[in-house]
Amino acid sequence: MTPTTAVTRTPSAKRIVVGVGGGIAAYKSCSLIRSFTESGHQVRVIPTESALEFIGRATFEALSGNPVHTDVFTDVPKVPHVRIGQEADLIVIAPATADLMARAVGGRADDLLTATLLTARCPVMFVPAMHTEMWEHPATVANVATLRERGATVVEPASGRLTGSDTGAGRLPEPEEIFALASLLIERSDALPRDLVGRRVVVSAGGTREPLDPVRFLGNRSSGKQGYAIARLAAQRGADVTLISGITSGVAVPAAVDVVHVQTAEQMREAVDKQALGADAVIMSAAVADFRPTTVATSKIKKGADEPDTIPLTRNDDILAGLVQARRDGVLAAATAIVGFAAETGDANGDVLTHARAKLARKGCDLLVVNPVGDGKAFEVDSNDGWLLTADGREQALDHGSKALMASRVLDALTVLLNRPSK
């Protein structure tokens, strides 16, 4: 009896093939499959025989709601080794072992998964997982390059704990990150080109906290999701990425990204100034506090006769304007691309774009990403929209979509900046 699933496919639902290689990280594929099905997609799981040593067939069938086979001789009249690949909208291989990628490069078709890869004409995403020595071996490096040359997306692995006591590059990214990248490829199949290889990119993200006393602080509603999405995609597009992270909510550290954690605006400025040296681009997506309390109480401010009537504030340094000035002064290279963000609302003096244009002129950055905020927009949500404004007066509307899609558009514009002729 074929398992069924209660998930109803929506008009935007896709046919997703999840290939599972034979590695210990196969357990993470279960969460990935669940994310796809809960989003309304139709999922077909194709494990290798080795993968079934780690996860049972019944688990994959229960999670996907579809039968699971590994060979090309089951259900021959439906020609699954051809049909599955032909009908798929996206194939995600997680984990992609060194052996599985080598077989894919060699054009093998000795099981259902490799045969499916040969017939697929949809986007294919390999998510490697293996020991560091295997990931760095010249054979694997060459195989990854070949897969990318043929149009497949090969995700950069995370670094961290591997099998046993070993640590290093080669860890499978978390299912949430794999799902985010896969979902982006559904939105936009060309979102992950390798166009930032050799570039060093600094990204700031999240909010800042300015302490009032040991308990309270001035803060904002930034979750850090947009900046983290930019850092994640920049790394997957080949950049060497440093993420300077303020206070965040509900986001995980992206794979293949170095992270510097800060809390206050002053700490953010110091970290950005340090990391910007030698960078090809700095993307200031953090929501940095404009003001901080002039004095910080050493003990908790209590109600009563000693409570303050007002809290004096001091203006924080403008990090974005400081970067532009550092470039003018030669501290940063003249070719350094500087990207700012503006969260804006309209008021009696003008609409969002009016204020954004004035901010771009005032800040002097190369590109300004403008997000309208309020009424559930931009902050603490998974979607975004707005405009891209360039220093030479061009404006591009950004349709509403995921923050990953917004990040891909920002990086497209950044690539144009980085490839501009030198003055």
Side-chain angles (χ1 to χ4, degrees):
M1 182 176 177
T2 301
T4 59
T5 176
V7 175
T8 301
R9 291 191 74 203
T10 63
S12 60
K14 302 297 182 181
R15 294 182 178 89
I16 311 295
V17 173
V18 177
V20 184
I24 185 62
Y27 76 93
K28 291 185 179 181
S29 67
C30 295
S31 295
L32 178 63
I33 295 163
R34 175 68 64 115
S35 295
F36 282 129
T37 57
E38 289 184 346
S39 297
H41 299 300
Q42 180 177 304
V43 180
R44 184 71 182 258
V45 182
I46 309 180
T48 63
E49 279 292 335
S50 296
L52 293 180
E53 295 289 329
F54 295 93
I55 306 293
R57 188 188 310 268
T59 298
F60 289 137
E61 291 185 336
L63 290 171
S64 67
N66 280 308
V68 170
H69 306 297
T70 62
D71 66 281
V72 298
F73 296 107
T74 301
D75 203 12
V76 170
K78 292 185 178 179
V79 201
H81 72 287
V82 174
R83 291 285 179 260
I84 295 174
Q86 288 177 333
E87 295 174 355
D89 295 304
L90 175 69
I91 297 178
V92 179
I93 313 296
T97 62
D99 174 73
L100 182 50
M101 289 193 293
R103 291 197 292 134
V105 167
R108 298 280 293 276
D110 48 359
D111 62 8
L112 186 56
L113 181 52
T114 52
T116 297
L117 289 173
L118 284 181
T119 61
R121 295 300 179 265
C122 62
V124 177
M125 186 172 85
F126 291 85
V127 190
M130 63 198 73
H131 263 66
T132 305
E133 293 84 354
M134 299 174 73
W135 173 246
E136 295 176 347
H137 192 281
T140 304
V141 172
N143 288 336
V144 168
T146 298
L147 290 171
R148 286 171 173 163
E149 288 169 4
R150 293 175 182 173
T153 295
V154 182
V155 171
E156 291 291 328
S159 293
R161 183 70 177 268
L162 304 171
T163 305
S165 60
D166 293 340
T167 61
R171 179 182 173 90
L172 190 77
E174 294 307 307
E176 296 81 5
E177 182 162 7
I178 301 170
F179 179 71
L181 293 172
S183 298
L184 176 60
L185 289 179
I186 293 173
E187 285 189 284
R188 182 186 170 198
S189 62
D190 62 345
L192 294 172
R194 299 285 293 178
D195 54 0
L196 290 174
V197 174
R199 301 290 192 176
R200 182 166 175 267
V201 177
V202 176
V203 181
S204 71
T208 58
R209 288 179 177 177
E210 309 301 320
L212 289 164
D213 61 22
V215 176
R216 304 178 183 90
F217 58 85
L218 298 179
N220 57 56
R221 295 170 53 199
S222 174
S223 65
K225 291 179 179 179
Q226 186 63 78
Y228 271 56
I230 292 171
R232 176 179 296 112
L233 295 196
Q236 296 303 335
R237 289 170 73 153
D240 176 9
V241 180
T242 298
L243 172 62
I244 301 172
S245 176
I247 307 304
T248 63
S249 175
V251 291
V253 174
V257 169
D258 293 325
V259 184
V260 177
H261 291 282
V262 300
Q263 291 201 26
T264 68
E266 178 62 18
Q267 292 170 350
M268 177 76 73
R269 183 193 64 77
E270 291 175 354
V272 169
D273 287 350
K274 177 180 178 181
Q275 296 297 329
L277 297 174
D280 294 287
V282 182
I283 304 175
M284 283 297 303
S285 62
V288 183
D290 293 323
F291 303 95
R292 67 180 185 275
T294 301
T295 59
V296 179
T298 57
S299 59
K300 181 182 176 181
I301 301 171
K302 297 178 175 61
K303 300 175 185 177
D306 294 332
E307 68 184 63
D309 295 324
T310 60
I311 298 177
L313 299 177
T314 299
R315 185 189 295 271
N316 283 321
D317 291 336
D318 189 321
I319 302 175
L320 182 60
L323 288 169
V324 174
Q325 187 60 50
R327 187 173 63 181
R328 292 187 184 126
D329 295 341
V331 177
L332 299 182
T336 305
I338 300 175
V339 180
F341 270 68
E344 290 289 351
T345 61
D347 57 25
N349 297 316
D351 60 13
V352 169
L353 273 176
T354 299
H355 291 299
R357 291 172 185 134
K359 179 171 286 189
L360 176 61
R362 187 169 64 252
K363 302 284 189 180
C365 54
D366 302 297
L367 178 70
L368 188 70
V369 184
V370 185
N371 300 133
V373 297
D375 298 325
K377 294 182 177 180
F379 289 128
E380 301 175 312
V381 294
D382 295 325
S383 59
N384 215 344
D385 55 43
W387 296 268
L388 289 174
L389 309 185
T390 62
D392 60 6
R394 289 178 289 116
E395 298 182 0
Q396 176 188 349
L398 299 171
D399 293 336
H400 193 79
S402 69
K403 287 188 173 178
L405 182 62
M406 170 75 79
S408 73
R409 300 300 188 196
V410 172
L411 293 178
D412 289 347
L414 174 63
T415 301
V416 172
L417 288 176
L418 293 174
N419 292 331
R420 62 191 170 185
S422 57
K423 297 179 180 179

